[in-house]
Amino acid sequence: MIGINEELKATEAAGAVLSTTNANSKAMIRVLREAKYVAALAMTTLPSDKPLNDARHAVVITLSDLVKALETDPTPQQEKIDKAKGAIRNLVWDLKARHGLHPVPKTPS
């Protein structure tokens, strides 16, 4: 079974490898697959609400699409990379917000 910390770690690692200059290494694809697997597993094993599972689903879909593209064509797939980065950013934000890791924005007085 996985926990939120493991999910956050795998998702952040995927975001970090997508920011590297070598966007098609075997090591990068391995990290992306791990993040996809963890997000999919979290959807079925961790209790959460629909918005969080929607963010996880977006990560699973975009990483699946990106990994498949990178395996068939070694040319960097910038549009797919950008979509995956956005999905990862949203999931990281949601995970941190749900577990009190983000400071709550202050409302103006």
Side-chain angles (χ1 to χ4, degrees):
M1 184 146 150
I2 64 160
I4 294 296
N5 290 337
E6 182 182 15
E7 181 181 12
L8 187 57
K9 182 178 174 183
T11 306
E12 288 177 328
V17 299
L18 288 177
S19 297
T20 64
T21 55
N22 185 6
N24 192 21
S25 71
K26 290 186 187 286
M28 183 190 92
I29 290 172
R30 190 170 34 255
V31 171
L32 298 178
R33 278 193 180 135
E34 177 67 14
K36 177 186 77 163
Y37 169 77
V38 170
L41 188 59
M43 285 176 17
T44 60
T45 59
L46 295 177
S48 61
D49 55 12
K50 183 173 174 12
L52 186 54
N53 277 338
D54 287 348
R56 288 173 174 143
H57 185 258
V59 166
V60 170
I61 296 300
T62 58
L63 290 182
S64 294
D65 190 35
L66 176 58
V67 167
K68 181 179 177 184
L70 291 172
E71 289 177 332
T72 58
D73 181 5
T75 309
Q77 307 282 328
Q78 195 58 48
E79 181 182 339
K80 292 179 185 342
I81 290 170
D82 291 342
K83 284 183 180 180
K85 282 181 179 179
I88 288 167
R89 189 173 29 251
N90 289 341
L91 179 55
V92 167
W93 177 263
D94 285 351
L95 287 170
K96 286 182 175 182
R98 298 262 189 297
H99 299 287
L101 301 173
H102 274 305
V104 177
K106 295 182 180 179
T107 56
S109 303

